[in-house]
Amino acid sequence: MKRFLCSLLCLLLCFSLFGCQKKETMPILEPVEFFYLQNTFSYTDAETIIGSEPREAAGHREDLPYLLELYFRGPQNDALAQPFPDGCNLVSSSTRNSKTITVVITDSFSTLTGMDLSIACVCLAKTVSGITGYPTVIIRTETKLLDGKRSITVRDGKPVLFDDYIAPTTTE
């Protein structure tokens, strides 16, 4: 009787596995990269504290307000964290020349200071540069200063946001 019951339970368990399948994800037709803070990182690794995730931009590739609205909602990937305070959104954007774009963010962005502000500005600038193609991004808020400055300018490139200093070892 025990064998029959065990066999029946094993058979039922096998049948229940047919309901398990990998969730299919839709392919991204027009990807854009959204940059966020990584949840976990090591100070000894050569990786940066900023990570990215691809998002779908089909039909909205040139619509910066729409894409930044999605961006400020936060990451979908659990390995990434939102570097922006609640209420951040794009107020306006303007271009000076073929290399510079200015983005004006709501005043809630001005609550960030120090390293948090630097990281948020780099994430935002890399995202805006990727969407628009402008290598220089000037970030301002509507009426408030950003850590005592009217604006922060970030030029595209690879910012070094990790400490690669190797302390000298002493030998005795």
Side-chain angles (χ1 to χ4, degrees):
M1 184 67 176
K2 286 182 182 181
R3 282 188 196 175
F4 176 73
L5 187 58
C6 287
S7 299
L8 181 64
L9 288 175
C10 287
L11 186 64
L12 288 173
L13 180 64
C14 289
F15 279 123
S16 68
L17 293 176
F18 287 118
C20 299
Q21 65 179 0
K22 187 177 178 182
K23 181 182 174 184
E24 282 191 39
T25 57
M26 297 296 291
I28 297 177
L29 303 174
E30 290 184 50
V32 292
E33 288 289 316
F34 286 175
F35 292 87
Y36 296 102
L37 179 64
Q38 291 204 31
N39 271 333
T40 57
F41 60 91
S42 171
Y43 288 103
T44 59
D45 286 343
E47 293 185 20
T48 181
I49 61 173
I50 294 176
S52 68
E53 68 180 7
R55 293 280 191 91
E56 180 63 69
H60 299 281
R61 188 72 176 109
E62 304 298 320
D63 189 358
L64 184 62
Y66 173 81
L67 292 173
L68 286 184
E69 180 184 328
L70 287 178
Y71 175 62
F72 284 122
R73 289 182 191 167
Q76 294 177 339
N77 186 340
D78 292 337
L80 301 173
Q82 173 72 288
F84 308 104
D86 289 338
C88 280
N89 213 340
L90 178 70
V91 174
S92 66
S93 65
S94 60
T95 56
R96 275 193 198 168
N97 52 42
S98 63
K99 294 184 179 185
T100 304
I101 185 169
T102 300
V103 292
V104 179
I105 308 299
T106 52
D107 283 340
S108 60
F109 190 73
S110 66
T111 60
L112 297 172
T113 59
M115 184 58 81
D116 292 333
L117 177 63
S118 298
I119 292 169
C121 285
V122 170
C123 289
L124 178 60
K126 287 180 74 66
T127 299
V128 170
S129 288
I131 293 169
T132 63
Y134 290 99
T136 303
V137 179
I138 299 172
I139 302 167
R140 299 183 323 132
T141 59
E142 289 179 283
T143 60
K144 301 203 176 187
L145 298 177
L146 295 170
D147 234 3
K149 299 178 187 104
R150 184 161 164 32
S151 66
I152 294 178
T153 303
V154 179
R155 287 178 181 76
D156 195 18
K158 295 190 177 194
V160 178
L161 295 176
F162 62 90
D163 186 5
D164 60 353
Y165 174 73
I166 299 172
T169 57
T170 56
T171 55
E172 295 182 30

